[in-house]
Amino acid sequence: MADHRMTATSYLVLGLLSDGPATSYELKRKVAVSIGNFWEFAHSQLYDEPARLADAGLVDVETEPGGRRRRTYRITAAGRDALADWLAAPTPDRTDVRDPGLLKLFFARHARPRDIRHLAIDQRRSHRERADEYERIHQAFGGSIDRWQLKSLELGIRYERTVEGFWAELLDDLPET
């Protein structure tokens, strides 16, 4: 078993594989309709990380004998233990918000008033659309996803509606240009 530095992506892969075996492509598809809505990372990691986890003994890999030689990954008992330990560990880190709109707002004293107004309009629309999409997902999958996935989705809706409201209030406070 190789030494492996665990990252958030490591646990994301273990969490997804705990629901059943998958290829890297299948992991990418699962992320696109779930975690990818609130956890941003390079999706190329979904092709590299499972192999590293296999080297560490946290997942098993089965390679097709012919054709594309697709690799299917399956979580091991050690992988389940690592996931359980991570879930049980405290999460004292602060939330990392990497919002380009917020960054632009921070430096808005250097912008033209009309550009600040356009920023607020665009950000309000963007967060409204994301919240609307989360609500559509909630309607479509609410009865078929587990309680904790549903709660994660509900937090996403609340977050997006709150940020949408912030930009709407800012827009109301800005002079017409």
Side-chain angles (χ1 to χ4, degrees):
M1 182 182 321
D3 185 31
H4 179 75
R5 184 179 161 274
M6 298 295 282
T7 65
T9 303
S10 304
Y11 295 112
L12 181 150
V13 169
L14 290 175
L16 290 174
L17 290 176
S18 67
D19 289 335
T23 65
S24 290
Y25 177 75
E26 290 166 337
L27 291 172
K28 183 179 170 186
R29 283 189 22 229
K30 288 180 181 184
V31 165
V33 297
S34 62
I35 298 164
N37 286 302
F38 61 86
W39 188 262
E40 236 178 85
F41 64 98
H43 288 217
S44 61
Q45 293 174 345
L46 294 175
Y47 290 89
D48 299 332
E49 189 61 22
R52 285 193 285 274
L53 292 171
D55 288 344
L58 301 175
V59 302
D60 286 329
V61 60
E62 183 179 314
T63 305
E64 278 182 339
R68 295 173 54 203
R69 300 191 45 82
R70 257 189 313 221
R71 291 182 294 268
T72 300
Y73 298 95
R74 180 175 284 104
I75 193 169
T76 63
R80 287 188 189 284
D81 289 345
L83 180 62
D85 289 346
W86 174 71
L87 289 168
T91 310
D93 299 336
R94 67 185 182 100
T95 301
D96 188 15
V97 177
R98 296 177 56 92
D99 183 333
L102 182 57
L103 184 60
K104 285 184 174 185
L105 182 61
F106 184 83
F107 292 110
R109 71 180 178 273
H110 303 292
R112 296 176 297 235
R114 74 173 182 265
D115 294 333
I116 298 168
R117 184 165 194 75
H118 289 150
L119 171 67
I121 290 168
D122 290 343
Q123 288 297 300
R124 179 181 172 197
R125 178 196 43 75
S126 174
H127 288 281
R128 181 180 57 243
E129 288 173 357
R130 192 168 297 123
D132 290 348
E133 177 61 20
Y134 289 173
E135 287 177 348
R136 283 190 289 277
I137 293 169
H138 189 276
Q139 289 294 318
F141 296 104
S144 62
I145 59 178
D146 74 40
R147 174 182 180 195
W148 308 116
Q149 292 168 335
L150 190 60
K151 286 297 185 187
S152 299
L153 185 55
E154 289 170 1
L155 179 59
I157 293 167
R158 288 182 190 182
Y159 172 81
E160 294 300 336
R161 290 293 181 217
T162 298
V163 178
E164 174 193 359
F166 167 83
W167 288 104
E169 288 175 15
L170 178 64
L171 194 53
D172 289 344
D173 290 343
L174 294 175
E176 293 288 331
T177 53

